[in-house]
Amino acid sequence: MTPSASEHAASGFRHVSVLLDGAVDALIHDPQGSYLDGTFGRGGHSRAILERLAPEGRLLAIDRDPQAIAAAASIEDARFSVERGEFAHLGEIAAARGLHGRLDGILLDVGVSSPQLDDPERGFSFLRDGPLDMRMDPTRGESAAEFLARADEAEIVRVFKQYGEERFARRLVRAIISRRADRPFERTADLAEVVKTAHPAWEKGKHPATRVFQALRIQVNGELEQLDAALDAALEALAPGGHMVVISFHSLEDRRVKRFIRRHVRGDTDLPRGVPVRDDQLAKRLDAVGKAQHAGAPELAVNPRARSAVMRVARKRS
């Protein structure tokens, strides 16, 4: 990680792009090609991509966070364009620009960004008190506070178990339901304190509300459904030989990426056992490029949040 990877939004919140050099190296195989950054964030990856592109190259960036779109306005480069939207719709966005099926590479840096975590007003963090929001696009959809106010016990338990892998989900939800009967949750610190008090077994080095906040964030933003849709769309939007680079930050995401790549490397494996079939009949659409990559010690020293990052790369078959 080089110092140039650090970008600052107008608000002053610092963002360090994860696996910057490795991601750009894996993505760009033709400097004159067309590329898509599906998660602009604060532009660390986009700026590094532009540094590597030839004058004929082209980069389209997407983000659903209006603050990210505002940050993108600082890039004055004729090769660059940005679109506000969800990366699940990257195929439609690329098609509108005449790039569907013609992209030489697509980068997806999945999950929440550092400025979103660090800004208390966004409501993502249990470490800083703020409105209990957690929406990546705060102009749309249901906030975390609204979800906790209207969902029944069974639904909240499902979310905590499925998206947070919280083994004490039922116990924590009972405490939440009991408290909300007196007054609804509106602040992050309030929810974190209730969870902290009710949690019977804290993990060493981890705040007891970590899994609950992860689960709520994934629920509110539809993150796993978004990822599934984005992977499918990326495969179709890539040109033959195009590279797909995906950086994820927890096992729920990485398992989906791993299975997606494996499924398209192997081809159609849903055929009945014993049916004779040639390789060219299996519709193999991807080749895996190398193994999963993780941040090294130098990057972790600068950016501890990179410790959970996993990068996987695949190439679309011709």
Side-chain angles (χ1 to χ4, degrees), residues 126-127 160 164 166-169 172 191-214:
F126 45 78
L127 298 176
F160 286 6
E166 175 55 72
R167 62 193 181 108
F168 298 105
L172 301 181
L191 175 62
E193 185 60 32
V194 169
V195 172
K196 179 180 176 181
T197 301
H199 207 295
W202 297 11
E203 298 176 59
K204 185 177 180 181
K206 182 176 288 189
H207 192 287
T210 299
R211 295 181 182 274
V212 164
F213 272 64
Q214 174 184 297

Side-chain angles (χ1 to χ4, degrees), residues 160-173:
F160 286 6
K161 283 185 175 180
Q162 185 176 343
Y163 298 152
E165 299 179 299
E166 175 55 72
R167 62 193 181 108
F168 298 105
R170 196 168 301 280
R171 177 170 180 160
L172 301 181
V173 172

Side-chain angles (χ1 to χ4, degrees), residues 161-165 206 211 214 217-218 224 227 248-259 294 308-310 312:
K161 283 185 175 180
Q162 185 176 343
Y163 298 152
E165 299 179 299
K206 182 176 288 189
R211 295 181 182 274
Q214 174 184 297
R217 193 198 82 216
I218 291 172
L224 298 183
L227 177 57
S248 56
F249 287 85
H250 56 73
S251 59
L252 293 174
E253 295 168 342
D254 183 54
R255 281 199 295 268
R256 274 173 152 75
V257 177
K258 182 179 180 179
R259 289 169 183 165
H294 303 265
S308 59
V310 182
R312 296 186 186 272

Side-chain angles (χ1 to χ4, degrees), residues 7-318:
E7 302 297 343
H8 293 75
S11 61
F13 294 104
R14 184 170 182 268
H15 177 61
V16 182
S17 297
V18 173
L19 292 166
L20 182 82
D21 294 332
V24 176
D25 287 345
L27 183 72
I28 297 179
H29 55 100
D30 177 7
Q32 297 182 339
S34 297
Y35 295 87
L36 185 147
D37 180 355
T39 43
F40 178 81
R42 291 302 181 269
H45 286 117
S46 281
R47 288 181 173 85
I49 292 167
L50 288 168
E51 289 177 0
R52 297 276 295 274
L53 290 184
E56 302 82 4
R58 188 174 178 183
L59 174 63
L60 169 62
I62 300 171
D63 208 295
R64 56 173 155 171
D65 187 335
Q67 292 184 3
I69 298 301
S74 66
I75 298 182
E76 298 179 359
D77 191 316
R79 302 168 300 169
F80 176 77
S81 59
V82 64
E83 184 85 24
R84 181 176 172 182
E86 299 171 345
F87 67 14
H89 300 148
L90 68 86
E92 301 158 34
I93 294 170
R97 306 273 181 143
L99 293 171
H100 194 265
R102 298 174 53 195
L103 287 166
D104 295 286
I106 295 174
L107 170 64
L108 301 176
D109 184 1
V110 185
V112 66
S113 70
S114 293
Q116 289 168 334
L117 281 172
D118 293 339
D119 183 354
E121 293 304 307
R122 300 302 300 271
F124 284 97
S125 177
F126 45 78
L127 298 176
R128 299 169 178 84
D129 186 38
L132 188 59
D133 195 314
M134 298 194 191
R135 290 173 294 174
M136 293 181 180
D137 181 349
T139 67
R140 300 181 183 179
E142 180 179 57
S143 71
E146 290 166 338
F147 171 75
L148 286 180
R150 65 92 182 153
D152 61 23
E153 181 175 343
E155 185 174 7
I156 303 175
V157 169
R158 176 192 63 79
V159 167
F160 286 6
K161 283 185 175 180
Q162 185 176 343
Y163 298 152
E165 299 179 299
E166 175 55 72
R167 62 193 181 108
F168 298 105
R170 196 168 301 280
R171 177 170 180 160
L172 301 181
V173 172
R174 281 198 297 266
I176 288 170
I177 295 291
S178 175
R179 213 317 292 280
R180 84 175 183 187
D182 295 327
R183 68 182 191 279
F185 288 93
E186 297 179 349
R187 308 288 297 182
T188 56
D190 185 19
L191 175 62
E193 185 60 32
V194 169
V195 172
K196 179 180 176 181
T197 301
H199 207 295
W202 297 11
E203 298 176 59
K204 185 177 180 181
K206 182 176 288 189
H207 192 287
T210 299
R211 295 181 182 274
V212 164
F213 272 64
Q214 174 184 297
L216 285 172
R217 193 198 82 216
I218 291 172
Q219 165 68 23
V220 165
N221 294 290
E223 291 182 33
L224 298 183
E225 296 83 0
Q226 286 272 326
L227 177 57
D228 289 341
L231 292 171
D232 287 334
L235 181 55
E236 302 304 325
L238 282 171
H243 291 192
M244 179 189 301
V245 180
V246 186
I247 302 171
S248 56
F249 287 85
H250 56 73
S251 59
L252 293 174
E253 295 168 342
D254 183 54
R255 281 199 295 268
R256 274 173 152 75
V257 177
K258 182 179 180 179
R259 289 169 183 165
F260 177 86
I261 293 174
R262 184 172 59 195
R263 182 169 76 250
H264 289 289
V265 166
R266 293 178 177 177
D268 185 357
T269 56
D270 293 330
L271 295 171
R273 186 182 297 275
V275 173
V277 63
R278 301 190 309 272
D279 274 359
D280 61 359
Q281 295 175 308
L282 289 174
K284 298 180 178 181
R285 304 190 66 192
L286 289 175
D287 290 316
V289 178
K291 297 181 179 180
Q293 297 183 40
H294 303 265
E299 179 169 356
L300 292 175
V302 175
N303 185 17
R305 285 177 178 161
R307 65 185 179 278
S308 59
V310 182
M311 184 174 76
R312 296 186 186 272
V313 182
R315 180 187 302 110
K316 185 173 179 177
R317 288 194 166 198
S318 301

